[in-house]
Amino acid sequence: METAFRVFADTAPTAAALMIMAWITLIPYRKEPAAQALMIYLALVCFLLVANIMELHAPIGTPTIWYAKLQYISFTYLPIVWLSFCLRYTGWISWTRKWLIAIAVLAPLPLLVLTFTNEYHGFLWRVLTFAQAGGLSVLRAEYGPLYWFLFTYSWLFIGTGAVMVVRSYVTGQGLYYRQSLWMIIGLFFPAVTNLLNLTRIFPSMGKDFTPMGYAVSGLCFLAAMYIHRLFWIMPASRGVILQEIDIGILVIDRNGWIVDHNQMIDQLIGITEIAVGKKAVDMVDVTEFFSACGIRELASDEKPSSGMLEWKGRMISWSRQAYQGRRYGFIFTAKDITEVISLQAEIVKLKEEFINREKLASIGRLTATLAHEINNPLAYITADLRSLQRILALPEKKRLSTDITDTVSSLSSGLQRIEGVVTSLLAFSRKGSIETVMGEYDMHRGISITLEFMRFELHDSVQVTTILGDIPRIKAAGEQINQVFFNILSNALHAIQSEEGAHGEIKILTGRTFDTVWCEIENSGPPIPAEHIDRIFDLFFTTKEDHFGTGLGLNLCKDIIENHHSGSLTLRSANPVTFRIELPIKGPESDAMHES
């Protein structure tokens, strides 16, 4: 018995010191639910060890009894904290449920009150005796009903937590088997030591080593978590969260060891085995993938990087992100975007179709106007030709050179007018494409062509004022920019004509900033209602009649200016209605529109 007492007295301080060190180790992870529960567990075990040490060295009598009672604070709360740890580890609950915390803290208090008032009722200990040897002593008692209630409740909680951990071991991912196994092994030690104390198989032992069993279990739990650096991971919920998402995840620590990966990254890269605990450079599929991504040194750069590549017949989008400046390692993500790219190609085709339909709709609305624009100069040309025929029929001496010259000049003017109309029509009827060739573009000429195309519609009811600044030519797809001008001017014209008998004005202003040119188009039509301001660029939103408006124009304009030219199209004012177009002088930043 003296040997058992001495062994416990000599090893318990070391165990308590280890609990303190383990607790300190968890401080960086103190915000993680599982780590919080484990920290409380270690603190209770440390308190239990200190109380046992004090019991051994205290004088026989009241001091020994007092320290024995203090141990029941830990014995009462340890099962609750253990169950809490298991619930968080397996992802059943989170620490934020305050009502659970209140129940966990307050429910055991009546048991502690009965423990510290045992001398009045004997529910915990019926008969008190003391065992002493070598100047050390402990309380040895005949247990009452309260002790057996505490025993049942403690091991019910501990057993429930153990079942959860075993379940996570059986149904969880294979790469977490070792973690769960460490926890199951940790649970084994307090169970064995407590069983030895109850059965007293070794009478000479004399001392309850259950506190030492709890200490070993705390170290096992810490090892299970710390070895894998996964205090924030909950294996049971991991199978739902991490494994089921369609993004591949590969986590590598700062030393190049793989600490986690999911099924999607296995499929994308071609990993056919559990890679946790292995060097990334030793995995052939991983190194080939990194090489294809242009990543040569895993830990050589703290800056995030990303890209796309074709890998094994699929288009993969990938990114690499260092965590806290390489302090902890790197996270690689990969996603199969083959279907997304295919869908984007379909969207591009639809946009092209929308652009062409909008052009055809616009040309259809202007057919009568264009016919009139061509018919007028044709009438003059016909009259001039007849005049020329009459002049040529006269004898040569009676012909006046001035008459011939004036007639030919009139013919030339009429032909030029027709040519201008036809040129404008061709500029707008040519089939558009999202991938239009970029080239040098004169914004003023584009405005002039558009106004010429709309001249007959505009001149009766709208006065057009142009205030053109000194701007350079820019790099743009001229046909698409002209389409934008046409759509905005058509909307302005329709707004002015929507008021019966109205005559209005359209102002066109241009200018430049440091690296952009801009154009503002203002009209004197009715203001845009406040409830429509945030929706005017939405696809299919229109305030026009069903037979006139499609809701495509402004949305396509915004797409052309912003997505394909890296510019901006904004509503600068709702009253008077003013749209502002800004385009970079050097052209779009992206490759959305290809040069040739």
Side-chain angles (χ1 to χ4, degrees):
M1 184 179 297
E2 180 179 353
T3 302
F5 284 6
R6 185 57 58 188
V7 169
F8 191 96
D10 292 340
T11 57
T14 302
L18 289 173
M19 295 300 99
I20 295 173
M21 293 173 62
W23 191 90
I24 294 173
T25 301
L26 288 171
I27 290 178
Y29 309 98
R30 62 188 178 278
K31 293 184 180 181
E32 305 302 333
Q36 292 171 352
L38 185 54
M39 291 177 76
I40 298 174
Y41 185 90
L42 294 173
L44 288 172
V45 172
C46 184
F47 181 82
L48 179 61
L49 289 168
V50 172
N52 271 268
I53 294 171
M54 298 304 295
E55 178 191 7
L56 277 171
H57 292 280
I60 293 178
T62 301
T64 303
I65 296 173
W66 175 251
Y67 287 119
K69 289 179 178 179
L70 286 178
Q71 296 169 30
Y72 278 85
I73 296 176
S74 292
F75 283 134
T76 303
Y77 281 104
L78 274 172
I80 297 175
V81 177
W82 158 254
L83 181 60
S84 172
F85 174 63
C86 294
L87 288 171
R88 285 154 178 75
Y89 170 79
T90 54
W92 281 61
I93 65 171
S94 65
W95 188 253
T96 54
R97 300 188 180 183
K98 296 182 179 179
W99 62 272
L100 282 176
I101 298 175
I103 292 175
V105 172
L106 298 176
L109 290 180
L111 300 178
L112 292 177
V113 171
L114 290 174
T115 297
F116 281 91
T117 58
N118 179 76
E119 57 269 22
Y120 300 107
H121 47 70
F123 289 160
L124 181 64
W125 301 314
R126 290 179 176 175
V127 180
L128 299 178
T129 58
F130 301 93
Q132 57 181 339
L136 303 173
S137 62
V138 295
L139 177 68
R140 303 293 287 179
E142 181 182 333
Y143 300 124
L146 179 59
Y147 174 86
W148 295 111
F149 176 81
L150 286 172
F151 175 85
T152 304
Y153 129 85
S154 297
W155 285 103
L156 179 64
F157 275 44
I158 293 173
T160 301
V163 170
M164 292 179 179
V165 175
V166 171
R167 183 177 179 275
S168 74
Y169 176 85
V170 174
T171 63
Q173 299 299 318
L175 56 119
Y176 282 92
Y177 283 170
R178 286 179 294 174
Q179 188 178 2
S180 298
L181 189 59
W182 268 105
M183 296 182 66
I184 295 171
I185 292 173
L187 186 62
F188 172 79
F189 288 97
V192 170
T193 52
N194 189 238
L195 182 64
L196 290 175
N197 179 63
L198 288 175
T199 58
R200 298 182 181 178
I201 296 176
F202 304 105
S204 60
M205 190 170 176
K207 179 71 182 83
D208 182 6
F209 276 78
T210 302
M212 297 298 292
Y214 276 117
V216 175
S217 71
L219 294 177
C220 287
F221 302 154
L222 178 66
M225 308 292 276
Y226 186 73
I227 285 175
H228 299 289
R229 308 294 201 278
L230 296 171
F231 287 99
W232 54 91
I233 294 294
M234 296 173 290
S237 60
R238 175 187 180 279
V240 177
I241 299 173
L242 191 60
Q243 293 287 23
E244 298 302 322
I245 60 176
D246 61 351
I247 298 176
I249 297 176
L250 178 65
V251 184
I252 299 177
D253 71 9
R254 60 185 177 184
N255 296 317
W257 294 93
I258 296 175
V259 297
D260 203 3
H261 59 101
N262 66 354
Q263 293 177 1
M264 182 54 66
I265 201 71
D266 294 349
Q267 295 174 14
L268 295 178
I269 295 181
I271 299 175
T272 58
E273 57 183 316
I274 296 174
V276 172
K278 297 183 179 181
K279 279 280 190 179
V281 294
D282 295 333
M283 303 290 294
V284 176
D285 293 316
V286 174
T287 54
E288 288 181 353
F289 177 73
F290 287 159
S291 178
C293 293
I295 301 172
R296 307 303 178 189
E297 297 291 337
L298 292 180
S300 63
D301 190 1
E302 297 179 5
K303 296 180 180 179
S305 55
S306 61
M308 290 192 305
L309 79 156
E310 184 175 356
W311 180 257
K312 298 183 178 179
R314 309 290 291 179
M315 288 301 299
I316 307 296
S317 172
W318 62 271
S319 68
R320 180 186 68 164
Q321 178 69 53
Y323 183 61
Q324 292 191 3
R326 287 170 45 197
R327 180 181 177 186
Y328 293 111
F330 298 86
I331 297 176
F332 293 86
T333 60
K335 184 176 177 63
D336 187 344
I337 58 171
T338 306
E339 294 183 1
V340 173
I341 290 178
S342 176
L343 182 60
Q344 287 176 342
E346 292 296 325
I347 292 174
V348 167
K349 291 180 180 179
L350 287 174
K351 286 182 178 179
E352 291 178 0
E353 186 65 26
F354 279 142
I355 290 173
N356 293 325
R357 288 187 180 184
E358 185 71 7
K359 285 183 179 181
L360 291 175
S362 301
I363 292 170
R365 293 195 296 267
L366 294 175
T367 300
T369 300
L370 294 171
H372 186 83
E373 283 289 281
I374 293 174
N375 189 56
N376 281 345
L378 277 176
Y380 287 114
I381 290 172
T382 302
D384 289 337
L385 284 173
R386 288 172 182 169
S387 297
L388 185 60
Q389 285 175 343
R390 285 196 298 269
I391 293 171
L392 293 175
L394 294 173
E396 187 173 349
K397 292 180 179 181
K398 293 183 179 183
R399 298 175 191 171
L400 296 176
S401 61
T402 54
D403 290 340
I404 296 175
T405 302
D406 290 342
T407 303
V408 171
S409 177
S410 179
L411 282 169
S412 177
S413 177
L415 289 171
Q416 288 177 359
R417 178 68 193 134
I418 293 174
E419 182 184 14
V421 173
V422 172
T423 300
S424 299
L425 177 61
L426 289 174
F428 280 90
S429 63
R430 188 176 294 119
K431 187 174 182 180
S433 170
I434 295 298
E435 307 241 345
T436 301
V437 176
M438 301 290 290
E440 191 177 72
Y441 176 67
D442 185 342
M443 180 180 283
H444 288 168
R445 186 173 182 277
I447 294 171
S448 177
I449 290 175
T450 307
L451 291 175
E452 180 67 20
F453 184 61
M454 302 178 67
R455 186 174 67 86
F456 187 78
E457 274 202 320
L458 293 169
H459 85 279
D460 285 337
S461 58
V462 177
Q463 176 186 347
V464 179
T465 302
T466 57
I467 304 174
L468 305 179
D470 183 15
I471 63 174
R473 292 173 181 264
I474 64 173
K475 190 176 183 180
E479 294 173 14
Q480 291 191 359
I481 303 301
N482 290 350
Q483 178 71 34
V484 172
F485 287 141
F486 177 80
N487 285 347
I488 295 176
L489 288 170
S490 294
N491 287 344
L493 177 62
H494 181 269
I496 293 172
Q497 293 177 343
S498 65
E499 297 182 335
E500 186 175 353
H503 290 269
E505 181 183 12
I506 294 176
K507 289 183 180 180
I508 302 175
L509 301 88
T510 62
R512 69 169 294 179
T513 59
F514 175 70
D515 57 355
T516 63
V517 296
W518 56 266
C519 174
E520 290 186 357
I521 301 177
E522 173 188 321
N523 73 76
S524 60
I528 297 176
E531 63 270 19
H532 292 166
I533 291 176
D534 293 333
R535 301 181 60 197
I536 58 171
F537 292 110
D538 291 352
L539 188 61
F540 303 123
F541 176 76
T542 181
T543 57
K544 301 175 184 176
E545 298 85 353
D546 291 340
H547 68 278
F548 195 83
T550 62
L552 299 175
L554 285 178
N555 180 269
L556 286 173
C557 289
K558 195 170 184 67
D559 181 67
I560 289 170
I561 297 297
E562 297 187 355
N563 294 336
H564 302 289
H565 284 82
S566 301
S568 67
L569 172 59
T570 57
L571 177 67
R572 189 174 182 82
S573 169
N575 187 20
V577 177
T578 306
F579 287 92
R580 182 181 176 93
I581 301 168
E582 293 189 23
L583 292 167
I585 295 173
K586 295 182 178 180
E589 298 175 356
S590 66
D591 294 327
M593 305 179 75
H594 302 295
E595 295 181 51
S596 67

